[in-house]
Amino acid sequence: MAPLTVFEHPLNERVRTFLRLEHLFEKVDYFMPQYDPWATRVAVEALIDITAVTARSDLRTEIAKELDRNLAAVERIASQPGVDPNALERVLKDLERALAGIASLTSPIGQTAREDEFLKGVAQRSTIPGGACSFDLPQYHHWLVQSPERRQSRLDHWLQDLRPADAAIRLMLSLARSSATPRQVTAVGGFFQEALDLQAPAQMVRVALPGGSSRYPEISGHKNRFSIRFMTIEPRLRPTPTPDDVEFRLTCCVF
């Protein structure tokens, strides 16, 4: 069976921010341990993007509110038949641990990296195309050729007050993704739309297609409804809406 490619679309602004941060944290974690200085550059660029996203003063409150909402949702399903009490207990402990991590922060999320003079200099030059090259930032060039251990240590320091947010966001998105069973549906003429239950607001929509497919979905939506238009990739031409019926796996994440 061919592997599936999953496309996700957030249905509210909070999840939109969480998905962006998850993407950036995954980028940092992939490139940070690598030996090559070019990989470290990519990790630093992602870290700078994280500091920009987390500069919002209300982000810490948003994460705490979402963790509280998740805790309440888990507690509500505790008495339902067929629920695994051991799995439920693990989820509750994970959520409580994540909430404690956010509560333990004594400064705004990402402040350590945002207020670091060295990193601020790199961030300012990075807004200029090619502005972070060696003759513009010789101190940065000097740091990049240090041992991977020294670079890793500095990156760990910058990330120290970001990790609680990272852990909380990954946990909440994982719970949302596993909250519903995917169903096989058909986009007639390449188009699909569906109304959403306002009593159980969906967090995101997930669309899964075979990995080798020449089609991809353009998804739009909000808390009331969503629509999906499948596009076909044409060699050396602009993508066009497909006129064919498209079968795909759909998940509406409502946790």
Side-chain angles (χ1 to χ4, degrees), residues 90-196:
R90 285 194 298 271
V91 172
L92 281 170
K93 286 183 178 179
D94 288 343
L95 286 167
E96 289 167 355
R97 191 180 302 114
L99 193 55
I102 294 297
S104 70
L105 292 172
T106 57
S107 59
I109 294 171
Q111 182 172 302
T112 300
R114 265 193 307 278
E115 295 189 352
D116 186 275
E117 291 300 322
F118 171 68
L119 199 58
K120 279 200 283 189
V122 177
Q124 288 167 0
R125 294 300 304 178
S126 295
T127 61
I128 304 168
C133 62
S134 60
F135 67 83
D136 278 311
L137 291 170
Q139 183 185 3
Y140 187 35
H141 178 66
H142 176 265
W143 177 71
L144 286 168
V145 298
Q146 301 304 304
S147 69
E149 292 75 21
R150 291 189 65 177
R151 285 180 268 149
Q152 177 92 40
S153 175
R154 194 72 179 272
L155 284 162
D156 284 335
H157 170 69
W158 289 329
L159 287 161
Q160 64 184 357
D161 61 0
L162 286 161
R163 285 308 187 190
D166 177 17
I169 287 169
R170 294 195 199 212
L171 173 60
M172 291 185 291
L173 290 177
S174 173
L175 290 173
R177 289 177 178 124
S178 60
S179 65
T181 302
R183 50 195 170 97
Q184 195 76 13
V185 295
T186 301
V188 179
F191 182 76
F192 181 89
Q193 65 178 349
E194 188 168 274
L196 294 164

Side-chain angles (χ1 to χ4, degrees), residues 22-43:
E22 180 193 49
H23 164 78
L24 291 168
F25 279 121
E26 287 178 348
K27 189 174 178 180
V28 168
D29 288 344
Y30 180 82
F31 287 101
M32 187 168 72
Q34 296 186 31
Y35 178 87
D36 193 332
W38 288 106
T40 303
R41 278 184 177 270
V42 178

